[in-house]
Amino acid sequence: MPSELPAVSVVIPCRNDAVLLEACLQSLARQSLPPREIVVVDNNSSDASAEVARRFGARVVFEPAAGIPAAAGAGYDAAAERLDPDAVIARCDADCVLPPDWIARIAEAFAADPKLEVLSGPGVFYGMPRLSALLLSRLYLGSYYLAMGSALAHWPFFGSNLALRAGTWQAVSGEVHRNDAQMHDDVCLSFHLGQGRRCRRDPHLTVGMAPRAVQSRANVALRFRRAFHTLAGHWPQEYPWVRWTRRFAGSKAAVPTAPAN
């Protein structure tokens, strides 16, 4: 294992999620490798989210523009300004619960591969029977990976469990659709970084996530609408056949490596 690990700062977009945010921050307080910094982006919360974040020692950044793309972008900006380009920004959601070795595994992966720019892993729903959680999580994320992977010509990133170099973010911070609240910010980031960068999906880097995305037809429908909106927002320049042709043409752009064993 490399002796020197990169600094890892954590970004958490948040809007009116004080209760779940507290559980998330508690899990970060139990990390075997503490983060360099935690940045909680208050996206116009009307509850105690900002107060909870400060109580756990997080830096609170206020982002008035509504939507996860703007909030995540503001968090990446805030974290990157205090990091070297080779340091790492890890991203989770306010409703995530992180395993105690989450930051350590991220740091070790980037230290072991100096050319690695993006690392992402899956999530498992919590708050339900274990078997149901595993099956539903695999169905939900499996559909996401299959649909978006087909459109992108590589594995998509998953925003609830994502890490990237600070310098990598700075290189595309002006290109992503950060002011479009209907975008899936992780899919947008996948469009801009997935080809031409060294990226990896690690199926063993797993986080806990609340099942809100699948608890109602309205939530499921909203995610489908945003998925189509995100794809259409990158077309026609990034039509699926354009990206697949680029992948198989043997261009110098590198595509994400296979999942880690």
Side-chain angles (χ1 to χ4, degrees):
M1 180 186 303
S3 58
E4 187 171 344
L5 299 177
V8 180
S9 291
V10 179
V11 167
I12 309 173
C14 182
R15 183 176 186 275
N16 293 334
D17 252 339
V19 174
L20 292 175
L21 176 63
E22 182 161 2
C24 178
L25 293 172
Q26 286 174 345
S27 70
L28 282 169
R30 294 191 292 266
Q31 293 294 302
S32 60
L33 178 67
R36 182 191 185 280
E37 179 183 41
I38 299 173
V39 178
V40 173
V41 183
D42 178 10
N43 198 203
N44 282 309
S45 295
S46 58
D47 68 356
S49 293
E51 289 80 358
V52 168
R54 293 190 182 97
R55 177 155 49 85
F56 279 86
R59 176 161 62 118
V60 177
V61 174
F62 180 70
E63 173 51 57
I68 294 177
Y76 296 147
D77 288 343
E81 69 184 8
R82 296 187 179 182
L83 293 172
D84 293 330
D86 288 335
V88 177
I89 303 171
R91 151 80 192 281
C92 66
D93 289 326
D95 63 359
C96 287
V97 174
L98 298 317
D101 63 346
W102 185 62
I103 291 176
R105 292 187 61 171
I106 288 171
E108 289 164 5
F110 280 92
D113 185 354
K115 294 184 178 180
L116 182 64
E117 295 195 65
V118 184
L119 178 68
S120 186
V124 175
F125 292 128
Y126 59 75
M128 59 176 61
R130 179 170 176 76
L131 181 59
S132 298
L134 289 173
L135 291 175
L136 188 57
S137 301
R138 289 182 180 179
L139 177 62
Y140 173 68
L141 282 179
S143 301
Y144 169 70
Y145 285 128
L146 179 61
M148 291 302 157
S150 298
L152 291 163
H154 57 75
W155 293 117
F157 310 146
F158 182 46
S160 298
N161 188 5
L162 174 65
L164 70 164
R165 302 269 185 191
T168 301
W169 163 251
Q170 290 173 322
V172 297
S173 63
E175 300 175 7
V176 296
H177 299 72
R178 57 198 294 167
N179 294 317
D180 186 341
Q182 299 307 309
M183 284 274 175
H184 278 309
D185 66 300
D186 46 6
V187 177
C188 180
L189 199 60
S190 299
F191 267 109
H192 292 274
L193 290 175
Q195 290 184 320
R197 305 274 183 169
R198 186 169 176 81
C199 309
R200 185 158 67 92
R201 183 179 72 94
D202 182 354
H204 305 296
L205 182 70
T206 305
V207 304
M209 57 185 183
R212 295 184 292 186
V214 295
Q215 283 183 325
S216 71
R217 291 183 179 179
N219 283 348
V220 173
L222 175 63
R223 277 155 178 77
F224 271 98
R225 287 197 302 272
R226 288 182 174 173
F228 286 114
H229 178 79
T230 305
L231 294 176
H234 292 84
W235 292 342
Q237 294 87 351
E238 299 292 334
Y239 275 140
W241 51 88
V242 173
R243 295 182 68 85
W244 281 104
T245 299
R246 187 185 303 150
R247 175 171 180 173
F248 288 114
S251 70
K252 65 180 180 180
V255 297
T257 62
N261 294 322

mmCIF file of all heavy atoms in Angstrom, residues 132-153:
data_model
loop_
_atom_site.group_PDB
_atom_site.id
_atom_site.type_symbol
_atom_site.label_atom_id
_atom_site.label_comp_id
_atom_site.label_asym_id
_atom_site.label_seq_id
_atom_site.Cartn_x
_atom_site.Cartn_y
_atom_site.Cartn_z
ATOM 1 N N SER A 132 -34.665 -7.630 0.836
ATOM 2 C CA SER A 132 -35.422 -6.686 0.010
ATOM 3 C C SER A 132 -34.539 -5.513 -0.406
ATOM 4 O O SER A 132 -34.601 -5.049 -1.551
ATOM 5 C CB SER A 132 -36.641 -6.176 0.784
ATOM 6 O OG SER A 132 -37.524 -7.222 1.101
ATOM 7 N N ALA A 133 -33.714 -5.033 0.526
ATOM 8 C CA ALA A 133 -32.829 -3.913 0.222
ATOM 9 C C ALA A 133 -31.841 -4.269 -0.874
ATOM 10 O O ALA A 133 -31.612 -3.485 -1.808
ATOM 11 C CB ALA A 133 -32.086 -3.481 1.487
ATOM 12 N N LEU A 134 -31.254 -5.449 -0.795
ATOM 13 C CA LEU A 134 -30.279 -5.874 -1.801
ATOM 14 C C LEU A 134 -30.930 -6.029 -3.166
ATOM 15 O O LEU A 134 -30.402 -5.558 -4.180
ATOM 16 C CB LEU A 134 -29.620 -7.188 -1.369
ATOM 17 C CG LEU A 134 -28.641 -7.114 -0.202
ATOM 18 C CD1 LEU A 134 -28.214 -8.516 0.227
ATOM 19 C CD2 LEU A 134 -27.420 -6.279 -0.577
ATOM 20 N N LEU A 135 -32.097 -6.678 -3.203
ATOM 21 C CA LEU A 135 -32.771 -6.904 -4.479
ATOM 22 C C LEU A 135 -33.224 -5.599 -5.122
ATOM 23 O O LEU A 135 -33.017 -5.370 -6.318
ATOM 24 C CB LEU A 135 -33.962 -7.845 -4.282
ATOM 25 C CG LEU A 135 -33.621 -9.301 -3.930
ATOM 26 C CD1 LEU A 135 -34.897 -10.085 -3.643
ATOM 27 C CD2 LEU A 135 -32.823 -9.958 -5.044
ATOM 28 N N LEU A 136 -33.830 -4.731 -4.316
ATOM 29 C CA LEU A 136 -34.329 -3.468 -4.849
ATOM 30 C C LEU A 136 -33.179 -2.559 -5.283
ATOM 31 O O LEU A 136 -33.260 -1.882 -6.315
ATOM 32 C CB LEU A 136 -35.194 -2.767 -3.800
ATOM 33 C CG LEU A 136 -35.956 -1.521 -4.263
ATOM 34 C CD1 LEU A 136 -36.850 -1.846 -5.449
ATOM 35 C CD2 LEU A 136 -36.782 -0.947 -3.117
ATOM 36 N N SER A 137 -32.096 -2.564 -4.520
ATOM 37 C CA SER A 137 -30.933 -1.751 -4.869
ATOM 38 C C SER A 137 -30.329 -2.198 -6.188
ATOM 39 O O SER A 137 -29.973 -1.378 -7.045
ATOM 40 C CB SER A 137 -29.878 -1.821 -3.765
ATOM 41 O OG SER A 137 -30.391 -1.383 -2.541
ATOM 42 N N ARG A 138 -30.213 -3.515 -6.343
ATOM 43 C CA ARG A 138 -29.632 -4.034 -7.583
ATOM 44 C C ARG A 138 -30.534 -3.763 -8.778
ATOM 45 O O ARG A 138 -30.054 -3.483 -9.878
ATOM 46 C CB ARG A 138 -29.355 -5.531 -7.433
ATOM 47 C CG ARG A 138 -28.191 -5.815 -6.489
ATOM 48 C CD ARG A 138 -27.881 -7.289 -6.375
ATOM 49 N NE ARG A 138 -26.755 -7.510 -5.463
ATOM 50 C CZ ARG A 138 -26.269 -8.705 -5.159
ATOM 51 N NH1 ARG A 138 -26.817 -9.787 -5.707
ATOM 52 N NH2 ARG A 138 -25.253 -8.819 -4.333
ATOM 53 N N LEU A 139 -31.844 -3.851 -8.571
ATOM 54 C CA LEU A 139 -32.776 -3.540 -9.655
ATOM 55 C C LEU A 139 -32.678 -2.067 -10.033
ATOM 56 O O LEU A 139 -32.603 -1.710 -11.216
ATOM 57 C CB LEU A 139 -34.199 -3.889 -9.231
ATOM 58 C CG LEU A 139 -35.306 -3.550 -10.233
ATOM 59 C CD1 LEU A 139 -35.109 -4.334 -11.523
ATOM 60 C CD2 LEU A 139 -36.677 -3.841 -9.633
ATOM 61 N N TYR A 140 -32.668 -1.209 -9.025
ATOM 62 C CA TYR A 140 -32.625 0.237 -9.259
ATOM 63 C C TYR A 140 -31.318 0.640 -9.936
ATOM 64 O O TYR A 140 -31.308 1.278 -10.994
ATOM 65 C CB TYR A 140 -32.784 0.955 -7.924
ATOM 66 C CG TYR A 140 -32.593 2.456 -7.970
ATOM 67 C CD1 TYR A 140 -33.503 3.273 -8.633
ATOM 68 C CD2 TYR A 140 -31.517 3.054 -7.330
ATOM 69 C CE1 TYR A 140 -33.327 4.656 -8.672
ATOM 70 C CE2 TYR A 140 -31.327 4.425 -7.355
ATOM 71 C CZ TYR A 140 -32.234 5.221 -8.022
ATOM 72 O OH TYR A 140 -32.063 6.585 -8.059
ATOM 73 N N LEU A 141 -30.186 0.259 -9.341
ATOM 74 C CA LEU A 141 -28.901 0.662 -9.902
ATOM 75 C C LEU A 141 -28.558 -0.128 -11.156
ATOM 76 O O LEU A 141 -27.902 0.399 -12.065
ATOM 77 C CB LEU A 141 -27.795 0.498 -8.857
ATOM 78 C CG LEU A 141 -27.741 1.597 -7.807
ATOM 79 C CD1 LEU A 141 -26.623 1.335 -6.799
ATOM 80 C CD2 LEU A 141 -27.521 2.964 -8.452
ATOM 81 N N GLY A 142 -29.001 -1.383 -11.217
ATOM 82 C CA GLY A 142 -28.760 -2.150 -12.432
ATOM 83 C C GLY A 142 -29.423 -1.512 -13.638
ATOM 84 O O GLY A 142 -28.834 -1.438 -14.726
ATOM 85 N N SER A 143 -30.655 -1.036 -13.452
ATOM 86 C CA SER A 143 -31.356 -0.348 -14.539
ATOM 87 C C SER A 143 -30.635 0.938 -14.929
ATOM 88 O O SER A 143 -30.506 1.271 -16.107
ATOM 89 C CB SER A 143 -32.796 -0.033 -14.114
ATOM 90 O OG SER A 143 -33.496 -1.216 -13.793
ATOM 91 N N TYR A 144 -30.145 1.655 -13.893
ATOM 92 C CA TYR A 144 -29.409 2.895 -14.135
ATOM 93 C C TYR A 144 -28.139 2.626 -14.929
ATOM 94 O O TYR A 144 -27.860 3.282 -15.945
ATOM 95 C CB TYR A 144 -29.085 3.551 -12.798
ATOM 96 C CG TYR A 144 -28.110 4.709 -12.878
ATOM 97 C CD1 TYR A 144 -28.485 5.919 -13.458
ATOM 98 C CD2 TYR A 144 -26.819 4.581 -12.373
ATOM 99 C CE1 TYR A 144 -27.592 6.981 -13.528
ATOM 100 C CE2 TYR A 144 -25.921 5.639 -12.438
ATOM 101 C CZ TYR A 144 -26.312 6.838 -13.011
ATOM 102 O OH TYR A 144 -25.417 7.879 -13.081
ATOM 103 N N TYR A 145 -27.357 1.652 -14.487
ATOM 104 C CA TYR A 145 -26.102 1.350 -15.169
ATOM 105 C C TYR A 145 -26.340 0.879 -16.590
ATOM 106 O O TYR A 145 -25.613 1.256 -17.522
ATOM 107 C CB TYR A 145 -25.318 0.284 -14.393
ATOM 108 C CG TYR A 145 -24.647 0.791 -13.144
ATOM 109 C CD1 TYR A 145 -24.832 0.145 -11.928
ATOM 110 C CD2 TYR A 145 -23.828 1.915 -13.170
ATOM 111 C CE1 TYR A 145 -24.223 0.609 -10.772
ATOM 112 C CE2 TYR A 145 -23.217 2.394 -12.026
ATOM 113 C CZ TYR A 145 -23.415 1.731 -10.819
ATOM 114 O OH TYR A 145 -22.811 2.196 -9.689
ATOM 115 N N LEU A 146 -27.364 0.043 -16.788
ATOM 116 C CA LEU A 146 -27.645 -0.486 -18.125
ATOM 117 C C LEU A 146 -28.102 0.621 -19.065
ATOM 118 O O LEU A 146 -27.587 0.758 -20.184
ATOM 119 C CB LEU A 146 -28.702 -1.585 -18.036
ATOM 120 C CG LEU A 146 -29.116 -2.226 -19.363
ATOM 121 C CD1 LEU A 146 -27.921 -2.895 -20.030
ATOM 122 C CD2 LEU A 146 -30.239 -3.239 -19.142
ATOM 123 N N ALA A 147 -29.084 1.421 -18.623
ATOM 124 C CA ALA A 147 -29.630 2.460 -19.502
ATOM 125 C C ALA A 147 -28.605 3.547 -19.794
ATOM 126 O O ALA A 147 -28.371 3.904 -20.952
ATOM 127 C CB ALA A 147 -30.883 3.057 -18.865
ATOM 128 N N MET A 148 -27.981 4.081 -18.744
ATOM 129 C CA MET A 148 -27.027 5.167 -18.957
ATOM 130 C C MET A 148 -25.724 4.665 -19.571
ATOM 131 O O MET A 148 -25.091 5.360 -20.360
ATOM 132 C CB MET A 148 -26.754 5.882 -17.635
ATOM 133 C CG MET A 148 -27.951 6.657 -17.126
ATOM 134 S SD MET A 148 -28.507 7.883 -18.349
ATOM 135 C CE MET A 148 -30.208 8.105 -17.835
ATOM 136 N N GLY A 149 -25.339 3.432 -19.215
ATOM 137 C CA GLY A 149 -24.141 2.871 -19.832
ATOM 138 C C GLY A 149 -24.313 2.704 -21.329
ATOM 139 O O GLY A 149 -23.373 2.927 -22.104
ATOM 140 N N SER A 150 -25.511 2.329 -21.768
ATOM 141 C CA SER A 150 -25.775 2.187 -23.200
ATOM 142 C C SER A 150 -25.681 3.535 -23.911
ATOM 143 O O SER A 150 -25.186 3.621 -25.043
ATOM 144 C CB SER A 150 -27.165 1.585 -23.420
ATOM 145 O OG SER A 150 -27.248 0.294 -22.859
ATOM 146 N N ALA A 151 -26.143 4.579 -23.260
ATOM 147 C CA ALA A 151 -26.107 5.909 -23.867
ATOM 148 C C ALA A 151 -24.719 6.532 -23.832
ATOM 149 O O ALA A 151 -24.346 7.291 -24.724
ATOM 150 C CB ALA A 151 -27.110 6.819 -23.162
ATOM 151 N N LEU A 152 -23.956 6.201 -22.788
ATOM 152 C CA LEU A 152 -22.644 6.822 -22.605
ATOM 153 C C LEU A 152 -21.506 6.043 -23.253
ATOM 154 O O LEU A 152 -20.431 6.589 -23.486
ATOM 155 C CB LEU A 152 -22.345 6.944 -21.108
ATOM 156 C CG LEU A 152 -23.177 7.937 -20.309
ATOM 157 C CD1 LEU A 152 -23.054 7.638 -18.824
ATOM 158 C CD2 LEU A 152 -22.737 9.367 -20.602
ATOM 159 N N ALA A 153 -21.719 4.765 -23.510
ATOM 160 C CA ALA A 153 -20.683 3.861 -24.019
ATOM 161 C C ALA A 153 -19.646 3.544 -22.947
ATOM 162 O O ALA A 153 -18.506 3.187 -23.268
ATOM 163 C CB ALA A 153 -20.002 4.423 -25.272
#
